[in-house]
Amino acid sequence: MNPEKSPETAQLIYGGKTYELPVVEGAEGERAVDISRLRKESGLITLDTGYGNTGACKSAITFIDGEKGILRYRGYPIEDLAEHSTFLEVAWLLLYGELPARGELDTFLEEITQHTMLHEDYRRFFGFMPKSAHPMPVAAAAVAALSTFYREADTEDRIYRAVVRLLAKMPTIATYAYKHSIGQPPMYPRNDLDYASNFLYMMFGTPCEEYSVDPVIARALDLLLILHADHEQNCSTSTVRLVGSSLSSLYATIASGISALWGPLHGGANQKVIEMLERIALEEGSADLFLERAKSKGDTTRLMGFGHRVYKSYDPRAAILKETCKEVILAVGGSSRLLEIAMRLEEVALSDDYFVSRRLYPNVDFYSGVIYQAIGIPVNMFTVMFTMGRLPGWIAQWIEMRNDPAFRIGRPRQIYTGPQERPYVPREER
Ligand code: SDX
């Protein structure tokens, strides 16, 4: 809040009366009309389908300026964190508001290392899942099932333990789901590897041969996790806040966030982007045809990985990922075909009035899939990677909501458009 600014008000004139509504101002000067008392005083509610103009909360975690393409976690620019930090250091920053001191980070890393294993009963849990299952519902179910193994996170100490368990076990759950889907035995986590390296080991290692982690790939993966760690009140985070506001289990609440993220308009877009690029690669020269379809009103085709509810300029995460693509492909010697198609699509779209006039730019999903594919992650695991990255953001937003003095269960209103009262007519008389 901007303390030196006196609170202004907004006036609403309705039914011959003038209502004074307080205006609140955020730390970066953004303003909102506080309508908390609107219904009580005027009988009016507001309507904003999709919440595009509605602030659900005050938050000190992430700041986005969609006009300027700014993203900061707790005030630190995403570009600085991407260059200098690590995923678990960023997780601590999001959760507790400050970068950890060396001792704090060492303890946090050690505790996470000591909690990476899953209860052996999870083998039976995964064993019941069809091998063809998409790993997102498997991950959501496995995370919800954590609430059957561990006590509720209802005290400071239990919340911290749940934070450690979720961050520690998410990579193990993700790789268990993957290994099950390809009929291979899961790999147990190792305590001598860092977070990203452990994931790669569990993902690509087998009991039959030694797997050595490529440090370039591990660093690229850690960077991808940083870039996905939080993004203010997006669809899945808003889901976590709403489900968490009923005081449901933190594990079940995170599982709801995973389910929301799965959607192709949200985190599921990264999978759709690669499928789109591969289709264009197969059907030579269809980039321009694809863009025509994405522009046409009657066609539901969208240029996946483009457009954003908040960013009306280049998503800063996409800019970082575009550069990282080139580094990873160079390092692993992979094909740059999909990257070239993506860059061509971006070039054509950003010179086409349809996209320019609607301020549609590449978002975080446009290039992330190219990297995941270059490091060997299968396409149906892309959104699970997004889940691993977003996990600390979801938890941080859940903690902030629970600690908010204005905390109450979320319960939006509606405008009813159905039939008015009518008597029941027995079946024989209809
Ligand atoms: C994420 O919210 C977050 O922060 C999300 C996220 C995070 O970190 O949590 O950033 C991650 O979800 C990124 C977005 C991933 N989704 C996609 O890439 C799917 C493709 N993009 C769109 O479907 C769309 O842009 C959304 C869903 C991202 C945003 O939708 P909005 O804000 O509701 O915008 P809209 O659908 O009202 O579009 C406005 C106009 C429409 O045309 P008109 O009705 O004005 O004629 O732009 C068009 C849309 O048809 N449009 C597109 C388009 N995106 C919007 N047309 C073609 N291709 C697209 N990608």
Side-chain angles (χ1 to χ4, degrees):
M1 299 296 285
N2 227 328
E4 63 272 12
K5 282 274 181 72
S6 63
E8 293 176 51
T9 60
Q11 287 190 342
L12 173 72
I13 299 168
Y14 171 71
K17 284 182 72 178
T18 300
Y19 300 92
E20 297 280 335
L21 299 170
V23 172
V24 295
E25 182 171 300
E28 291 287 344
E30 72 283 20
R31 295 188 174 184
V33 178
D34 183 336
I35 57 170
S36 313
R37 297 196 327 270
L38 180 65
R39 186 168 173 275
K40 196 178 288 178
E41 292 178 2
S42 71
L44 289 169
I45 64 168
T46 57
L47 181 63
D48 182 21
T49 305
Y51 307 114
N53 305 286
T54 296
C57 61
K58 292 175 184 171
S59 178
I61 298 172
T62 291
F63 173 70
I64 300 174
D65 182 325
E67 298 301 321
K68 299 176 185 156
I70 290 173
L71 169 58
R72 299 188 198 124
Y73 295 160
R74 299 286 191 179
Y76 293 94
I78 191 66
E79 294 82 0
D80 288 359
L81 294 171
E83 186 175 348
H84 303 297
S85 190
T86 61
F87 174 61
L88 289 180
E89 181 179 74
V90 165
W92 178 280
L93 172 67
L94 290 169
L95 288 161
Y96 303 112
E98 298 296 337
L99 288 168
R102 168 56 61 195
E104 284 174 328
L105 185 59
D106 291 345
T107 305
F108 190 50
L109 297 182
E110 180 54 26
E111 289 183 337
I112 285 174
T113 299
Q114 295 304 324
H115 286 82
T116 49
M117 288 181 76
L118 286 174
H119 191 291
E120 274 300 290
D121 283 355
Y122 264 95
R123 281 181 174 276
R124 287 191 291 121
F125 171 90
F126 285 103
F128 289 129
M129 293 289 169
K131 294 214 180 312
S132 59
H134 193 287
M136 281 297 275
V138 175
V143 168
L146 289 172
S147 58
T148 67
F149 287 88
Y150 303 109
R151 293 191 59 171
E152 202 23 60
D154 49 10
T155 65
E156 277 308 301
D157 174 59
R158 289 191 196 131
I159 287 174
Y160 180 72
R161 297 176 68 77
V163 166
V164 168
R165 283 194 183 105
L166 278 163
L167 289 171
K169 297 180 192 305
M170 196 68 238
T172 313
I173 286 172
T175 53
Y176 260 53
Y178 170 63
K179 287 292 194 183
H180 173 69
S181 74
I182 60 172
Q184 281 189 9
M187 296 295 285
Y188 285 101
R190 281 173 41 181
N191 291 355
D192 62 328
L193 296 175
D194 65 42
Y195 199 79
S197 302
N198 217 354
F199 170 82
L200 292 168
Y201 168 75
M202 290 189 284
M203 185 79 185
F204 299 117
T206 70
C208 314
E209 57 188 353
E210 195 51 41
Y211 174 82
S212 58
V213 176
D214 180 332
V216 173
I217 294 179
R219 174 57 194 149
L221 181 56
D222 199 74
L223 169 63
L224 278 155
L225 295 174
I226 290 173
L227 295 176
H228 286 83
D230 193 56
H231 214 239
E232 56 152 80
Q233 307 312 314
N234 57 84
C235 175
S236 53
T237 299
S238 301
T239 301
V240 164
R241 279 183 172 257
L242 193 56
V243 171
S245 73
S246 72
L247 297 185
S248 178
S249 146
L250 172 57
Y251 302 112
T253 298
I254 295 300
S256 72
I258 297 173
S259 300
L261 188 70
W262 187 18
L265 292 186
H266 190 12
N270 55 19
Q271 176 172 345
K272 296 298 176 191
V273 169
I274 281 297
E275 289 165 2
M276 169 183 79
L277 296 176
E278 286 179 334
R279 199 162 53 246
I280 292 172
L282 276 178
E283 301 153 13
E284 191 52 42
S286 58
D288 299 296
L289 175 68
F290 191 92
L291 285 176
E292 285 314 307
R293 286 186 55 196
K295 288 159 43 178
S296 95
K297 260 289 176 232
D299 194 323
T300 55
T301 303
R302 289 204 151 181
L303 179 54
M304 299 311 276
F306 249 71
H308 199 276
R309 175 63 59 79
V310 176
Y311 288 122
K312 299 309 171 188
S313 57
Y314 214 102
D315 183 334
R317 301 168 296 175
I320 296 167
L321 287 172
K322 185 175 176 182
E323 289 315 305
T324 309
C325 278
K326 298 171 189 169
E327 294 160 18
V328 171
I329 288 169
L330 207 60
V332 302
S335 158
S336 59
R337 181 87 178 91
L338 295 187
L339 176 58
E340 287 158 9
I341 292 172
M343 290 169 68
R344 168 80 181 134
L345 276 174
E346 175 189 333
E347 182 192 349
V348 175
L350 295 189
S351 57
D352 183 305
D353 182 59
Y354 174 91
F355 294 94
V356 173
S357 64
R358 291 169 176 79
R359 306 178 75 186
L360 304 174
Y361 290 85
N363 59 52
V364 68
D365 292 310
F366 193 62
Y367 287 105
S368 56
V370 176
I371 302 175
Y372 289 139
Q373 189 163 58
I375 60 182
I377 307 281
V379 175
N380 69 352
M381 283 288 289
F382 285 10
T383 313
V384 177
M385 304 306 293
F386 198 143
T387 299
M388 278 172 46
R390 187 52 52 88
L391 183 56
W394 285 333
I395 303 171
Q397 299 273 352
W398 176 85
I399 291 173
E400 182 179 68
M401 175 195 67
R402 297 267 300 230
N403 294 339
D404 186 337
F407 169 73
R408 61 200 292 227
I409 186 170
R411 204 289 188 201
R413 296 270 175 172
Q414 64 165 25
I415 292 295
Y416 175 68
T417 57
Q420 294 184 328
E421 183 177 3
R422 50 185 173 165
Y424 178 80
V425 177
R427 192 193 312 270
E428 55 277 9
E429 294 173 25
R430 278 178 224 157

